[in-house]
Amino acid sequence: MRSIWNGNISFGLVSIPIKMYPATEDHSVSFRQVHTADGGRVRYRKVCELEDKPVDSAEIGRAYEDADGALIPITDVDLAALPLPTTRSVEIEAFIPASEVDPLQIDDAYYLGVNGTAAAKPYALLREALKRSEKVGIAKYAHRGRERLGMLRVVGDAIALHRLLWPDEVREPSDVAPKEKVTVKPAELDLADTLMETLGEVDLDDLRDEYQEALEALVAAKVSGAAPVAEPGEEPKGAQVVDLVAALRDSVRSARQARGEAPGEEGEEATVHELRGRKKAPAKKAPAKKTAAAKTAGTKKTASTKETAAKTTAKKAGTEKAAAKKTAAKKTTAKKQTGKRASRPAS
C-alpha cells in the first residue's frame, strides 16, 4: 500500500512518526468520453483565455477570484508564510466519546501506520489508551492545502483517521421534515417495531453491489463480442395512498416467510390497496352569534316593552278605579234624593 502523507502524531509531548494510507478504494467501472461519430477519445485541455492556446502544468498557478471577477494571484511563497502548525503533524486536541461525533461530519478514512521502528512503542501506547478509554481522539492536521479536522479511532491493531467536516460545513435540515401535522398511532408504532425485530440484523460483508456486477457483466459481454441480454425489470410504480397498517402487517409476514418462520397469527391476510376518497358531508351552517350591540339592543327593547306594558296595565287599573268611584258616587246621590222625596208631606 502506497502512503499519501508523512508526518507525526502529536500526543502531548509525545511525537509519533506516521505514514497515511487510504483506507478505502473505489471499485466502480470508469468510463471515458468518446466522439460518437468515430469513437475517438474526447479530452480536456487547459487553455489560456488570453493567448487561446494550451498551457503546460508547470506554467499553471493559482489565484483567488473576488466578487467582481478579478483574479488575485496566490503563490506558494504566500501559502508557506501562513501560520499553519499542523503542516506535518496530526495535533490531538482532546479525547471524547465517539457518540459525541455527529455521523454527518464523518468523511474520508485513512490508516495511520508507523514510520520507522522507533515509532512502534508510542504508537502502541496511543492505540491501547484509545481502546481502554473507549474514546476517540479529536485532532487537527493539514492536508491538500488546508487545515482539517480529524477523528482517531482503533480499527483492529491499527489507528484510523477519519476526516471530519467542520461543524459549519454541515447544513441544518430545516426545510426537509414534513410540514403537515402527522399523528402516529400506537398500533402503527408497534407494527413498525415488530417489523424491525423481524428483519433482524445483517452482516455487512454479505451485501454486494448488484448494479456493479451487472455493469461488469455488460462490459465483459461487449469485450467478447457477445450480445448482452437485458433482463426485464419491473417498471417503477407511481405514488399511491396505502393502508399503512396493512402494509406493515404484510411486511412483517413477508420478512418472516423469507426467514423460514411462521407468518404468525395477526388476523387475516392484509393487502396494500389504494384508499378511496371519502365524500365530505356538507358543512352545517353555524347559527350566527349575536354581537354585543345586538344583545344590548335586544335587552333594551325587552325592557322597554315590559315597561310600556306595565304603564298600560297601571293606567287601565286607574281608569277602572275612577269609573267605579264615579258610579258609586252617582248611586249615593240618587239614594239621597229618593230619601228626601219620601220625607216630604202629602198636599
Side-chain angles (χ1 to χ4, degrees):
M1 191 183 301
R2 183 180 178 182
S3 64
I4 59 173
W5 187 86
N6 294 344
N8 298 282
I9 297 178
S10 179
F11 178 32
L13 297 178
V14 179
S15 182
I16 309 171
I18 52 97
K19 291 184 177 183
M20 182 185 292
Y21 304 89
T24 60
E25 55 186 350
D26 188 3
H27 289 161
S28 61
V29 177
S30 298
F31 293 108
R32 305 296 183 190
Q33 291 186 331
V34 297
H35 187 198
T36 55
D38 54 20
R41 282 283 303 275
V42 175
R43 299 179 183 272
Y44 290 103
R45 294 183 179 180
K46 297 181 179 180
V47 178
C48 175
E49 293 181 351
L50 299 179
E51 298 179 353
D52 195 20
K53 66 177 184 179
V55 179
D56 294 334
S57 298
E59 301 179 83
I60 298 176
R62 61 174 64 85
Y64 174 80
E65 184 177 3
D66 64 9
D68 298 330
L71 296 175
I72 304 170
I74 304 294
T75 66
D76 293 337
V77 177
D78 297 330
L79 296 176
L82 291 176
L84 193 60
T86 57
T87 302
R88 285 294 173 184
S89 178
V90 178
E91 298 278 350
I92 298 179
E93 302 288 330
F95 295 90
I96 63 174
S99 59
E100 294 185 12
V101 178
D102 188 346
L104 289 173
Q105 290 183 252
I106 301 176
D107 206 334
D108 300 331
Y110 305 92
Y111 288 132
L112 302 180
V114 295
N115 188 5
T117 56
K121 182 64 179 289
Y123 183 95
L125 173 63
L126 176 58
R127 180 191 63 201
E128 297 305 316
L130 288 171
K131 281 184 180 180
R132 190 167 71 171
S133 67
E134 297 183 349
K135 294 183 177 181
V136 296
I138 301 300
K140 293 198 298 184
Y141 66 101
H143 190 216
R144 294 178 180 174
R146 59 172 294 189
E147 189 170 56
R148 302 181 185 275
L149 190 64
M151 178 183 73
L152 279 72
R153 71 183 185 95
V154 178
V155 179
D157 291 331
I159 298 176
L161 171 66
H162 292 272
R163 183 168 76 84
L164 299 180
L165 299 176
W166 296 96
D168 59 357
E169 293 179 316
V170 179
R171 295 176 176 175
E172 292 291 334
S174 54
D175 299 328
V176 178
K179 300 295 186 297
E180 298 79 9
K181 186 178 181 180
V182 180
T183 302
V184 179
K185 299 178 181 178
E188 297 169 342
L189 192 57
D190 292 341
L191 280 171
D193 290 340
T194 303
L195 177 58
M196 292 170 64
E197 294 175 0
T198 305
L199 291 174
E201 300 178 356
V202 66
D203 187 352
L204 294 180
D205 293 334
D206 295 337
L207 301 179
R208 68 184 195 278
D209 188 347
E210 298 181 22
Y211 178 81
Q212 178 71 17
E213 293 176 356
L215 189 58
E216 291 175 354
L218 171 64
V219 173
K222 288 276 190 177
V223 171
S224 63
V229 179
E231 296 182 1
E234 296 183 1
E235 295 184 1
K237 297 180 180 179
Q240 60 178 352
V241 179
V242 299
D243 185 337
L244 182 57
V245 174
L248 288 169
R249 286 175 178 164
D250 282 349
S251 300
V252 171
R253 292 190 183 95
S254 298
R256 286 176 175 170
Q257 290 173 355
R259 296 174 59 177
E261 299 177 1
E265 298 179 359
E266 292 157 341
E268 299 179 356
E269 195 73 20
T271 55
V272 180
H273 58 276
E274 295 186 7
L275 297 177
R276 296 180 180 177
R278 296 180 179 178
K279 294 183 178 179
K280 294 183 178 180
K284 295 182 179 180
K285 293 184 178 180
K289 294 182 178 180
K290 293 183 178 181
T291 61
K295 288 182 179 180
T296 305
T299 303
K300 289 181 177 180
K301 185 177 180 180
T302 302
S304 177
T305 304
K306 288 182 178 180
E307 187 179 352
T308 303
K311 288 181 179 180
T312 303
T313 303
K315 187 176 181 180
K316 186 176 180 182
T319 304
E320 289 177 352
K321 190 175 181 180
K325 285 182 178 181
K326 190 174 181 181
T327 304
K330 286 182 178 181
K331 287 182 178 180
T332 303
T333 303
K335 193 173 182 180
K336 286 181 179 181
Q337 290 177 355
T338 304
K340 285 181 179 182
R341 282 197 296 266
S343 59
R344 288 179 185 174
S347 53

